[in-house]
Amino acid sequence: ALFPLLPLMPIVLSKAAALLPEIKHIFRTPDPRPPVMISYGFAAGILVPFAIFALTVIFLLLANLPRTFMGMMKFAGFLTCLSAMMLTIVAYWFSKILLFPTLGILGALLIPAMVIGKLYLDDRSKASHQE
C-alpha cells in the first residue's frame, strides 16, 4: 500500500479539530455617520463645479464661437481637456479609480488645458482688439 495511514486521516483530523479552541470574533461598532447637513455640503461642493462647467459650456458655445479654423481647434481642444477632467472626477466619485491615480490624471490634463486655454484666450484678446 502506497499510503497505509490514509484511512486513519479523518480520525486524526477530527481529534485535532476537537482540541482547538473555538474562535470568537469581536466586531467593532461602526463609526457614526456625519450629520445630514455636512453630507449635503459635500454633495453641493461636488455638484457646483459641474453646474458651473455646464453653464460655461453653454455660454461659450452660444455666445463666443471662434470664427477661424485655428480658433475653433483651440476652443475644441480646451473644451476636450475640461470635459476629460470632469469625467475623471466623475470616475473618482463613483470609485472607479483611486485618489492618487485621479490626481495624476488631472495633473496630466491640466497642463494641456492651461496651454491651449491661454492660446485660445490670446486669440480672443487679439480678435477683440482688432474689432
Side-chain angles (χ1 to χ4, degrees):
L2 191 58
F3 298 106
L5 299 177
L6 193 58
L8 300 176
M9 287 300 282
I11 298 169
V12 172
L13 290 177
S14 65
K15 286 184 179 180
L19 297 175
L20 294 175
E22 181 181 347
I23 299 174
K24 295 183 180 179
H25 297 281
I26 300 173
F27 296 102
R28 65 183 175 106
T29 58
D31 295 332
R33 294 195 174 261
V36 175
M37 290 309 293
I38 291 176
S39 298
Y40 286 150
F42 277 106
I46 293 292
L47 294 176
V48 166
F50 291 118
I52 291 171
F53 178 71
L55 293 174
T56 302
V57 168
I58 290 170
F59 175 74
L60 287 175
L61 288 176
L62 296 178
N64 295 319
L65 283 176
R67 295 186 178 32
T68 64
F69 176 74
M70 284 307 294
M72 185 61 85
M73 293 304 293
K74 291 173 187 174
F75 177 74
F78 182 66
L79 280 182
T80 301
C81 288
L82 286 181
S83 300
M85 291 167 79
M86 287 295 158
L87 287 174
T88 303
I89 293 171
V90 168
Y92 171 72
W93 192 20
F94 287 118
S95 299
K96 299 297 181 193
I97 49 179
L98 299 175
L99 178 64
F100 288 112
T102 301
L103 293 175
I105 293 168
L106 289 176
L109 289 171
L110 181 66
I111 294 168
M114 288 184 343
V115 170
I116 296 170
K118 174 147 180 25
L119 292 173
Y120 172 69
L121 290 176
D122 286 345
D123 283 353
R124 294 292 303 166
S125 177
K126 288 176 189 174
S128 67
H129 286 359
Q130 289 176 356
E131 291 176 0

